[in-house]
Amino acid sequence: QMTAPVKETYILAIEIMNYDTRMKPSDALRLAETKTLGLDRFVTIDKELLENKQLQNEFNVKIALPG
């Protein structure tokens, strides 16, 4: 079942964009959804996100390749 992001997701997305001003809003929202859903892994092929260890540490999420 798909649902719309909750208010906390949008708040966290703004925090993520403030932390990393190069972050695209769509990426920040997806990453925030990962956290507000209680998940600890965000899967992407985006090289910039994969290499952003500071972001991973700050928001306690593993950014990984599919597979």
Side-chain angles (χ1 to χ4, degrees):
Q1 179 180 356
M2 294 186 64
T3 60
V6 295
K7 179 181 176 181
E8 291 78 14
T9 302
Y10 291 107
I11 293 169
L12 183 54
I14 291 168
E15 289 178 27
I16 291 169
M17 288 189 302
N18 287 336
Y19 179 80
D20 184 347
T21 57
R22 301 166 300 156
M23 178 75 68
K24 292 181 244 173
S26 59
D27 289 339
L29 184 59
R30 299 287 91 78
L31 187 58
E33 283 181 311
T34 299
K35 294 301 297 175
T36 55
L37 289 171
L39 305 172
D40 62 358
R41 183 169 299 244
F42 179 72
V43 179
T44 185
I45 59 170
D46 186 316
K47 186 177 179 181
E48 289 180 17
L49 288 176
L50 289 164
E51 294 175 349
N52 194 334
K53 301 300 181 197
Q54 291 176 327
L55 181 71
Q56 293 181 58
N57 291 333
E58 179 69 21
F59 292 96
N60 195 31
V61 64
K62 172 72 175 158
I63 300 174
L65 285 167

